[in-house]
Amino acid sequence: MSTHETPWPTGTPCWVELSSDDPAAANAFYSGLFGWDVQVAGPEFGGYGVARVDGHRVAGIGGKMGDGDQPTAWTTYLASDDVDATAAAVAQHGGQVLAPPMDVGDLGRMIIGLDPAGASFGVWQSGSNTGVGLVNQPGGVVWNEHTSNDFAAAKSFYSAVFGLRVESMEGAPADLEYAVLARSGGQMVGSLGKTGIGTSLDDPPNWLIYFGVADADATAAKAVELGGAVLEGPRESAYGQLAVVAGPEGEHFVVVQTAPEGYGHSDGPDAQSID
């Protein structure tokens, strides 16, 4: 089991969160789909739910910030050891800080940002909550993929703000606008592309989240039974049997049955740096 209970290195996707119009219904859907145990906090935290697998944190589900007119969606949070400095870097490099640095009790400190390519994301500085505690396992996050129509802007932004390297996949065509993000030590933490699995050039910029499952076909069928929809697949891919799913409020995510050895938050396939 891939578990992690210490702060994630800067730039690593460390948390995923669903902003929902109906958190109670979302809790029921994802608990039924992934077998999550969602523990709902008290009113001081707005009834925020923390989903767990075998006692390890895997995701959050809560209501929407502000006036709630934004679409229901999953948000990927990247780790930082200084959220305030990261907020300044986001603005310096062409992004926007949508929600300024704020403390979440003693759990940590956060911002919500918008990158120059138009995708929203979060940044998390660990306190007592260090982020996801289980990855690359059924019910946990396997991969985080940024897609937009401005590949160059996305590459420049995440490299400058988080110090991540942008690397091409081994054997990929030189003109392919798809790359992986890696820390300075070479550990792959996510990817960038014009389009990804289940996306098209007409889709809004976003960070797409892949969740591991034991059986992608059964999970896809269960999603429909619970009120969701299957947008693509299930089908075989280089990364295992997968399906693109929409939750009851239309939020998109991917379920993948198996991941390549070490893919995701661990080691990844060989890559080469690109400009």
Side-chain angles (χ1 to χ4, degrees), residues 215-255:
D215 186 328
D217 295 81
T219 302
K222 187 68 173 179
V224 174
E225 177 187 328
L226 292 169
V230 176
L231 305 179
E232 181 181 327
R235 65 173 177 80
E236 187 61 30
S237 76
Y239 311 116
Q241 187 82 349
L242 60 77
V244 183
V245 178
E249 295 181 43
E251 70 278 10
H252 295 186
F253 57 96
V254 177
V255 297

Side-chain angles (χ1 to χ4, degrees), residues 1-6 8 13-14 52-59 130-143 187 212 258-268:
M1 180 180 294
S2 298
T3 60
H4 188 105
E5 299 298 343
T6 58
W8 289 92
C14 65
R52 295 178 181 266
V53 171
D54 294 330
H56 300 284
R57 294 181 300 268
V58 293
T130 57
V132 291
L134 180 144
V135 295
N136 300 339
Q137 300 291 324
V141 174
V142 172
W143 194 244
Q187 183 190 40
T258 58
E261 184 177 355
Y263 191 70
H265 283 268
S266 302
D267 298 330

Side-chain angles (χ1 to χ4, degrees), residues 7-252:
W8 289 92
T10 294
T12 305
C14 65
W15 190 243
V16 295
E17 174 183 275
L18 179 69
S19 297
S20 168
D21 289 321
D22 189 344
N27 291 344
F29 174 80
Y30 287 98
S31 294
L33 190 66
F34 294 134
W36 286 351
D37 174 18
V38 182
Q39 301 173 0
V40 179
E44 68 273 23
F45 292 107
Y48 189 86
V50 174
R52 295 178 181 266
V53 171
D54 294 330
H56 300 284
R57 294 181 300 268
V58 293
I61 297 175
K64 296 178 179 177
M65 292 184 175
D67 56 15
D69 63 351
Q70 69 269 34
T72 298
W74 280 98
T75 298
T76 290
Y77 284 72
L78 305 180
S80 170
D81 58 10
D82 187 339
V83 155
D84 295 79
T86 301
V90 166
Q92 178 184 351
H93 294 285
Q96 300 177 48
V97 178
L98 302 180
M102 68 183 81
D103 290 321
V104 185
D106 67 351
L107 301 176
R109 191 163 170 81
M110 62 167 282
I111 65 168
I112 298 295
L114 187 73
D115 66 35
S120 61
F121 63 97
V123 181
W124 182 253
Q125 179 181 335
S126 294
S128 61
N129 184 333
T130 57
V132 291
L134 180 144
V135 295
N136 300 339
Q137 300 291 324
V141 174
V142 172
W143 194 244
N144 302 76
E145 179 182 70
H146 179 286
T147 60
S148 76
N149 285 326
D150 199 336
F151 182 57
K155 287 195 303 177
S156 176
F157 178 80
Y158 288 98
S159 177
V161 173
F162 294 99
L164 296 172
R165 291 161 46 185
V166 181
E167 305 179 335
S168 60
M169 297 291 288
E170 183 181 25
D175 60 350
L176 178 68
E177 291 191 301
Y178 192 91
V180 295
L181 294 169
R183 299 199 341 258
S184 58
Q187 183 190 40
M188 294 186 180
V189 299
S191 58
L192 304 171
K194 269 203 165 181
T195 59
I197 291 172
T199 65
S200 74
L201 295 178
D202 295 327
D203 291 333
N206 76 105
W207 276 93
L208 185 65
I209 299 166
Y210 292 59
F211 292 103
V213 296
D215 186 328
D217 295 81
T219 302
K222 187 68 173 179
V224 174
E225 177 187 328
L226 292 169
V230 176
L231 305 179
E232 181 181 327
R235 65 173 177 80
E236 187 61 30
S237 76
Y239 311 116
Q241 187 82 349
L242 60 77
V244 183
V245 178
E249 295 181 43
E251 70 278 10
H252 295 186

